[in-house]
């Protein structure tokens, strides 16, 4: 923990990059591990834009289940530690692949949600955006034109929001340290962000239960609980 704390203190700005693994300790299953979401659902059916156009009811059945899980989820020590480090001026921003909103709930202010958010949905026909999905389930429709709403998440077959990925790339290039937490670094283009940091002369620190393609190029690697590692790091960093 002291080594990670020194890296964060000595290599500023530090930017965090988080994936599904940071939220598993909040009771939210990840996607690709054994027992993950994609072992139970076909992503082409429930998480692709083609699947949405073909069978939106099936897609909303899947997202209704995810919303039910999220209703009970709370930020865990890893989310809280990143918010604490941001408040201390030691984490510049959080780039996240997650759509669960737990970083904001934990108190992080500068959050770049490169894969969108599950909290809202928009009408693909007229653009109306709905903030309260619970009352519209099981098949949310637009109050203006009646079209089925689409979750505001980036589905397979869609491009990432240009502004979000551009800012994420800029942050990665400017980071003296990119702190990767809970990401397998397998989903592009986000998986390319560590390379942006390294090419610009920055360093990597990785906290993920499974190995990543960048482990051998990182200055710190921990295959362990994100909550335990980051909570201890935030405590040691703030007290030093």
């Amino acid at each position: 923990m002291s080594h990670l704390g020194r890296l964060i203190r000595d290599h500023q700005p530090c930017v965090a990059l988080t994936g599904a693994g940071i939220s598993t300790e909040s009771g939210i299953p990840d996607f690709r591990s054994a027992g993950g979401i994609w072992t139970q659902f076909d992503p082409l059916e429930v998480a692709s834009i083609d699947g949405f156009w073909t069978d939106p009811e099936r897609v909303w059945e899947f997202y209704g289940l995810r919303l039910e899980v999220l209703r009970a989820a709370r930020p865990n020590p890893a989310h809280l530690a990143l918010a604490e480090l941001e408040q201390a001026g030691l984490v510049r921003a959080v780039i996240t692949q997650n759509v669960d909103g737990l970083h904001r709930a934990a108190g992080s202010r500068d959050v770049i949600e490169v894969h969108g958010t599950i909290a809202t949905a928009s009408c693909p026909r007229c653009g109306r955006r709905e903030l309260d999905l619970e009352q519209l389930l099981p098949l949310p429709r637009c109050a203006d034109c009646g079209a089925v709403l689409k979750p505001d998440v980036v589905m397979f077959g869609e491009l990432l929001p240009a502004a979000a990925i551009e800012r994420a790339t800029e942050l990665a290039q400017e980071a003296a340290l990119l702190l990767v937490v809970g990401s397998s670094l397998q989903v592009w283009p986000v998986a390319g962000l560590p390379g942006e940091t390294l090419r610009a002369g920055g360093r990597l620190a990785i906290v993920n239960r499974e190995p990543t393609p960048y482990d051998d190029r990182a200055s710190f690697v921990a295959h362990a609980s994100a909550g335990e590692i980051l909570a201890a790091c935030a405590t040691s960093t703030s007290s030093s």
Side-chain angles (χ1 to χ4, degrees):
M1 301 317 99
S2 59
H3 179 40
L4 180 57
R6 285 196 301 272
L7 280 172
I8 293 173
R9 287 194 306 271
D10 296 345
H11 296 84
Q12 289 290 320
C14 171
V15 174
L17 168 62
T18 70
I22 195 173
S23 291
T24 55
E25 293 172 45
S26 292
I28 300 174
D30 64 7
F31 292 87
R32 289 171 176 78
S33 68
I37 289 174
W38 297 148
T39 65
Q40 305 169 51
F41 295 92
D42 181 347
L44 295 180
E45 288 184 4
V46 300
S48 73
I49 190 62
D50 287 341
F52 175 77
W53 294 126
T54 301
D55 191 352
E57 190 168 3
R58 171 66 170 156
V59 169
W60 273 110
E61 178 186 359
F62 170 68
Y63 278 99
L65 293 173
R66 293 190 67 189
L67 286 167
E68 186 176 342
V69 171
L70 285 174
R71 194 182 306 124
R74 298 293 181 270
N76 65 57
H79 297 106
L80 297 171
L82 288 177
E84 182 180 339
L85 289 168
E86 182 190 40
Q87 290 162 11
L90 295 171
V91 165
R92 179 178 178 184
V94 176
I95 304 164
T96 186
Q97 297 170 276
N98 299 336
V99 300
D100 53 40
L102 291 179
H103 283 299
R104 296 187 190 280
S108 290
R109 294 183 295 269
D110 195 351
V111 182
I112 300 89
E113 295 170 316
V114 292
H115 288 169
T117 175
I118 198 174
T120 62
S122 296
C123 178
R125 183 183 297 167
C126 71
R128 179 186 173 99
R129 193 176 189 217
E130 290 289 350
L131 305 179
D132 187 1
L133 298 181
E134 298 287 344
Q135 64 179 354
L136 299 177
L137 293 172
L139 189 63
R141 291 187 177 274
C142 178
D144 289 338
C145 70
V148 176
L149 301 178
K150 178 191 169 295
D152 285 334
V153 300
V154 179
M155 294 182 164
F156 292 110
E158 291 188 299
L159 297 176
L160 298 188
I165 195 60
E166 287 173 9
R167 176 133 195 269
T169 301
E170 290 174 0
L171 286 167
Q173 292 169 342
E174 295 170 0
L177 179 70
L178 186 68
L179 173 58
V180 179
V181 184
S183 176
S184 60
L185 298 176
Q186 295 180 17
V187 179
W188 288 81
V190 174
L193 294 179
E196 299 286 348
T197 299
L198 292 172
R199 281 189 290 274
R203 297 192 181 195
L204 299 181
I206 299 174
V207 181
N208 193 57
R209 289 191 180 275
E210 303 296 330
T212 81
Y214 285 93
D215 283 7
D216 61 350
R217 302 174 68 184
S219 300
F220 176 92
V221 177
H223 297 150
S225 161
E228 291 179 9
I229 295 287
L230 292 188
C233 177
T235 300
S236 64
T237 303
S238 62
S239 62
S240 59

